Coordinates of all heavy atoms in Angstrom, one line a residue:
A194 N 49.7 17.0 5.9 CA 49.4 18.4 6.3 C 48.6 19.1 5.1 O 47.5 19.7 5.4 CB 50.6 19.2 6.6
K195 N 49.0 18.8 3.9 CA 48.2 19.4 2.8 C 46.8 18.8 2.7 O 45.9 19.5 2.4 CB 49.0 19.1 1.5 CG 50.3 19.9 1.4 CD 51.0 19.6 0.1 CE 52.4 20.3 0.0 NZ 53.2 19.9 -1.2
R196 N 46.7 17.5 3.0 CA 45.4 16.8 2.9 C 44.5 17.4 4.1 O 43.3 17.5 3.9 CB 45.6 15.3 3.0 CG 46.2 14.7 1.8 CD 46.2 13.2 1.8 NE 46.9 12.6 0.7 CZ 48.0 11.9 0.7 NH1 48.4 11.5 1.9 NH2 48.5 11.4 -0.4
I197 N 45.1 17.6 5.2 CA 44.3 18.2 6.3 C 43.7 19.5 5.9 O 42.6 19.8 6.1 CB 45.2 18.4 7.6 CG1 45.6 17.0 8.2 CG2 44.4 19.2 8.6 CD1 46.6 17.1 9.3
L198 N 44.6 20.4 5.2 CA 44.1 21.7 4.8 C 43.1 21.6 3.7 O 42.1 22.3 3.7 CB 45.3 22.5 4.3 CG 46.3 22.9 5.4 CD1 47.6 23.4 4.8 CD2 45.7 23.9 6.3
S199 N 43.3 20.6 2.8 CA 42.4 20.5 1.6 C 41.0 19.9 2.0 O 40.0 20.0 1.3 CB 43.0 19.7 0.5 OG 43.3 18.4 0.9
S200 N 41.0 19.1 3.1 CA 39.8 18.5 3.6 C 38.8 19.4 4.2 O 37.6 19.1 4.3 CB 40.1 17.3 4.6 OG 40.9 16.3 4.0
G201 N 39.3 20.6 4.6 CA 38.4 21.7 5.0 C 37.4 21.4 6.1 O 37.8 20.8 7.1
N202 N 36.2 21.7 5.9 CA 35.1 21.5 6.9 C 34.9 20.1 7.3 O 34.5 19.8 8.4 CB 33.8 22.1 6.4 CG 33.8 23.6 6.4 OD1 34.5 24.2 7.2 ND2 33.0 24.2 5.5
R203 N 35.1 19.2 6.3 CA 34.8 17.8 6.6 C 35.7 17.2 7.7 O 35.2 16.6 8.7 CB 35.0 16.9 5.3 CG 34.7 15.4 5.6 CD 34.5 14.7 4.2 NE 34.1 13.3 4.4 CZ 33.6 12.6 3.4 NH1 33.5 13.1 2.2 NH2 33.3 11.3 3.7
I204 N 37.0 17.5 7.7 CA 37.8 16.9 8.7 C 37.7 17.7 10.0 O 37.8 17.2 11.1 CB 39.3 16.9 8.3 CG1 40.1 15.9 9.2 CG2 39.9 18.3 8.2 CD1 41.4 15.5 8.7
R205 N 37.4 19.0 9.9 CA 37.1 19.8 11.1 C 35.9 19.3 11.9 O 35.9 19.2 13.1 CB 37.0 21.3 10.7 CG 38.3 22.0 10.5 CD 38.1 23.5 10.5 NE 37.3 24.0 9.3 CZ 37.9 24.3 8.2 NH1 39.2 24.2 8.0 NH2 37.2 24.7 7.1
K206 N 34.9 19.0 11.1 CA 33.7 18.4 11.8 C 34.0 17.1 12.5 O 33.5 16.8 13.6 CB 32.6 18.2 10.7 CG 31.9 19.5 10.2 CD 30.8 19.2 9.2 CE 30.2 20.5 8.7 NZ 29.2 20.2 7.6
L207 N 34.7 16.2 11.8 CA 35.1 14.9 12.3 C 35.9 15.1 13.6 O 35.7 14.4 14.6 CB 35.8 14.1 11.3 CG 36.0 12.6 11.7 CD1 34.7 11.8 11.7 CD2 37.0 11.9 10.7
R208 N 36.9 16.0 13.6 CA 37.7 16.2 14.7 C 36.9 16.7 15.9 O 37.1 16.4 17.1 CB 38.9 17.1 14.4 CG 39.9 16.4 13.4 CD 40.8 17.4 12.7 NE 41.6 18.2 13.7 CZ 42.5 19.1 13.3 NH1 42.7 19.3 12.0 NH2 43.3 19.7 14.2
T209 N 36.0 17.6 15.6 CA 35.2 18.2 16.7 C 34.3 17.1 17.3 O 34.2 17.1 18.6 CB 34.3 19.3 16.1 OG1 35.1 20.4 15.6 CG2 33.3 19.9 17.2
I210 N 33.7 16.2 16.5 CA 32.9 15.1 17.0 C 33.8 14.2 17.8 O 33.4 13.7 18.9 CB 32.2 14.4 15.9 CG1 31.2 15.3 15.2 CG2 31.5 13.1 16.4 CD1 30.7 14.8 13.9
A211 N 35.0 13.9 17.4 CA 35.9 12.9 18.1 C 36.3 13.5 19.4 O 36.4 12.7 20.4 CB 37.1 12.7 17.2
K212 N 36.4 14.8 19.5 CA 36.8 15.4 20.8 C 35.7 15.3 21.9 O 36.0 15.4 23.1 CB 37.2 16.9 20.6 CG 38.5 17.0 19.9 CD 39.0 18.5 20.0 CE 38.2 19.4 19.2 NZ 38.7 20.8 19.2
Q213 N 34.5 15.0 21.4 CA 33.4 14.9 22.4 C 33.0 13.4 22.6 O 32.1 13.1 23.3 CB 32.1 15.6 21.8 CG 32.4 17.1 21.5 CD 31.3 17.7 20.7 OE1 30.3 17.0 20.3 NE2 31.4 19.0 20.5
D214 N 33.8 12.5 21.9 CA 33.4 11.1 21.9 C 34.3 10.3 22.9 O 35.4 10.8 23.3 CB 33.6 10.5 20.5 CG 32.6 9.3 20.3 OD1 32.1 8.7 21.3 OD2 32.4 9.0 19.1
D215 N 33.9 9.1 23.2 CA 34.7 8.2 24.1 C 35.0 7.0 23.4 O 34.2 6.1 23.2 CB 33.8 7.9 25.4 CG 34.5 7.0 26.3 OD1 35.8 6.9 26.2 OD2 33.9 6.3 27.2
I216 N 36.2 6.9 22.9 CA 36.6 5.7 22.1 C 37.9 5.0 22.6 O 38.5 4.2 21.9 CB 36.9 6.1 20.6 CG1 37.8 7.3 20.5 CG2 35.6 6.4 19.9 CD1 38.2 7.7 19.1
S217 N 38.2 5.2 23.9 CA 39.3 4.5 24.6 C 39.1 4.6 26.1 O 38.1 5.2 26.6 CB 40.6 5.1 24.1 OG 41.7 4.3 24.6
T218 N 40.1 4.0 26.8 CA 40.0 4.0 28.3 C 40.8 5.2 28.8 O 41.8 5.6 28.2 CB 40.5 2.7 28.8 OG1 41.9 2.6 28.5 CG2 39.8 1.5 28.2
P219 N 40.5 5.7 30.0 CA 41.3 6.8 30.6 C 42.8 6.4 30.8 O 43.7 7.2 30.6 CB 40.6 7.0 32.0 CG 39.2 6.5 31.8 CD 39.3 5.4 30.8
E220 N 43.0 5.1 31.1 CA 44.4 4.7 31.2 C 45.2 4.8 29.9 O 46.4 5.3 29.9 CB 44.5 3.2 31.7 CG 43.9 2.9 33.1 CD 42.4 2.9 33.1 OE1 41.7 2.8 32.0 OE2 41.8 3.0 34.2
N221 N 44.6 4.4 28.8 CA 45.2 4.5 27.5 C 45.5 6.0 27.1 O 46.5 6.3 26.6 CB 44.4 3.8 26.4 CG 44.5 2.3 26.5 OD1 45.3 1.8 27.2 ND2 43.6 1.6 25.8
V222 N 44.5 6.8 27.4 CA 44.6 8.2 27.1 C 45.8 8.9 27.9 O 46.6 9.6 27.3 CB 43.3 9.0 27.4 CG1 43.5 10.5 27.2 CG2 42.2 8.5 26.5
N223 N 45.9 8.6 29.2 CA 46.9 9.1 30.0 C 48.3 8.7 29.5 O 49.3 9.4 29.5 CB 46.7 8.8 31.4 CG 45.5 9.5 32.0 OD1 45.1 10.6 31.6 ND2 44.9 8.9 33.0
M224 N 48.4 7.4 29.2 CA 49.7 6.8 28.7 C 50.1 7.5 27.4 O 51.3 7.9 27.2 CB 49.6 5.3 28.6 CG 50.9 4.6 28.2 SD 50.7 2.9 27.8 CE 50.0 2.3 29.3
L225 N 49.2 7.5 26.5 CA 49.5 8.0 25.1 C 49.9 9.5 25.1 O 50.9 9.9 24.5 CB 48.4 7.8 24.1 CG 48.7 8.1 22.7 CD1 49.8 7.3 22.1 CD2 47.5 7.9 21.8
K226 N 49.1 10.3 25.9 CA 49.4 11.8 25.8 C 50.8 12.1 26.5 O 51.5 13.0 26.0 CB 48.3 12.5 26.5 CG 48.2 12.4 28.0 CD 47.0 13.2 28.6 CE 46.9 13.1 30.1 NZ 45.7 13.9 30.6
E227 N 51.2 11.3 27.4 CA 52.5 11.5 28.0 C 53.6 11.1 27.0 O 54.6 11.7 26.9 CB 52.7 10.7 29.3 CG 51.9 11.2 30.5 CD 52.3 12.6 30.9 OE1 53.6 12.9 30.8 OE2 51.5 13.5 31.2
Q228 N 53.4 9.9 26.3 CA 54.4 9.5 25.4 C 54.5 10.4 24.2 O 55.6 10.7 23.7 CB 54.1 8.1 24.9 CG 54.2 7.0 26.0 CD 54.1 5.6 25.5 OE1 54.0 5.3 24.4 NE2 54.0 4.7 26.5
I229 N 53.4 11.0 23.7 CA 53.5 12.0 22.6 C 54.1 13.3 23.1 O 54.9 13.9 22.4 CB 52.1 12.2 22.1 CG1 51.5 11.0 21.4 CG2 52.1 13.4 21.0 CD1 50.2 11.2 20.8
Y230 N 53.9 13.6 24.4 CA 54.5 14.8 24.9 C 56.0 14.6 24.9 O 56.8 15.5 24.6 CB 54.0 15.1 26.3 CG 54.9 16.1 27.1 CD1 54.9 17.5 26.7 CD2 55.8 15.7 28.0 CE1 55.7 18.4 27.4 CE2 56.7 16.6 28.6 CZ 56.6 17.9 28.3 OH 57.5 18.8 28.9
D231 N 56.5 13.4 25.4 CA 57.9 13.2 25.4 C 58.5 13.3 24.0 O 59.7 13.7 23.8 CB 58.2 11.8 25.9 CG 57.9 11.6 27.4 OD1 57.8 12.7 28.1 OD2 57.6 10.5 27.9
L232 N 57.7 13.0 22.9 CA 58.2 13.0 21.6 C 58.2 14.5 21.0 O 59.1 14.9 20.3 CB 57.3 12.1 20.7 CG 57.7 12.1 19.2 CD1 59.1 11.4 19.0 CD2 56.6 11.3 18.4
T233 N 57.1 15.2 21.3 CA 56.9 16.6 20.7 C 57.3 17.7 21.7 O 57.5 18.8 21.2 CB 55.5 16.7 20.3 OG1 54.6 16.7 21.5 CG2 55.1 15.6 19.3
L234 N 57.3 17.5 23.0 CA 57.5 18.5 24.0 C 56.4 19.6 23.9 O 56.6 20.8 24.3 CB 58.9 19.1 23.9 CG 60.1 18.2 24.0 CD1 61.4 18.9 23.9 CD2 60.0 17.4 25.4
D235 N 55.3 19.2 23.4 CA 54.1 20.2 23.3 C 53.2 20.0 24.6 O 52.6 18.9 24.7 CB 53.3 19.9 22.1 CG 52.2 20.9 21.8 OD1 51.8 21.6 22.8 OD2 51.8 21.1 20.7
L236 N 53.2 21.0 25.5 CA 52.5 20.8 26.7 C 51.0 20.6 26.6 O 50.3 20.1 27.5 CB 52.7 22.1 27.6 CG 54.1 22.1 28.3 CD1 54.3 23.5 28.9 CD2 54.2 21.0 29.4
N237 N 50.5 21.0 25.4 CA 49.0 20.9 25.2 C 48.6 19.4 25.2 O 47.4 19.2 25.6 CB 48.6 21.5 23.8 CG 48.7 23.0 23.8 OD1 48.3 23.6 24.8 ND2 49.3 23.6 22.8
F238 N 49.4 18.5 24.9 CA 49.1 17.1 24.9 C 48.7 16.6 26.4 O 47.9 15.8 26.6 CB 50.2 16.2 24.3 CG 50.2 16.2 22.8 CD1 51.2 16.9 22.2 CD2 49.2 15.5 22.1 CE1 51.2 17.0 20.8 CE2 49.3 15.5 20.7 CZ 50.2 16.3 20.0
R239 N 49.4 17.2 27.3 CA 49.2 16.8 28.7 C 47.8 17.3 29.2 O 47.3 16.8 30.3 CB 50.3 17.4 29.6 CG 51.6 16.6 29.5 CD 52.6 17.1 30.5 NE 53.7 16.1 30.6 CZ 54.8 16.3 31.4 NH1 54.9 17.5 32.1 NH2 55.7 15.4 31.5
K240 N 47.2 18.2 28.5 CA 45.9 18.7 28.9 C 44.7 17.9 28.3 O 43.5 18.2 28.6 CB 45.7 20.2 28.5 CG 46.8 21.1 29.0 CD 46.7 22.5 28.5 CE 47.9 23.4 29.0 NZ 47.8 24.7 28.4
C241 N 45.0 17.0 27.4 CA 44.0 16.2 26.8 C 43.2 15.3 27.7 O 43.8 14.7 28.7 CB 44.6 15.3 25.7 SG 45.3 16.3 24.3

């Protein structure tokens, strides 16, 4: 978490680019977001 904060604009830019990119299959995305939701109970993961 401290490294995320200290990386500043660099990691924010990379994350923004990644959100617009296609680096996996829809099946993998759907499976992973459900499993992370089960772990965190954060509903935002289901919207990915």
Side-chain angles (χ1 to χ4, degrees):
K195 291 176 183 177
R196 292 190 183 117
I197 292 171
L198 292 169
S199 65
S200 295
N202 287 332
R203 182 165 184 163
I204 196 166
R205 279 195 290 271
K206 288 180 181 178
L207 188 70
R208 289 163 64 177
T209 299
I210 294 168
K212 287 191 292 184
Q213 302 168 358
D214 208 343
D215 179 20
I216 52 174
S217 188
T218 64
E220 296 78 12
N221 285 349
V222 174
N223 291 332
M224 183 189 301
L225 184 62
K226 70 182 186 182
E227 287 297 324
Q228 292 186 9
I229 296 182
Y230 167 75
D231 292 340
L232 181 67
T233 64
L234 300 181
D235 187 336
L236 283 170
N237 289 319
F238 282 104
R239 286 187 162 175
K240 302 174 185 177
C241 294

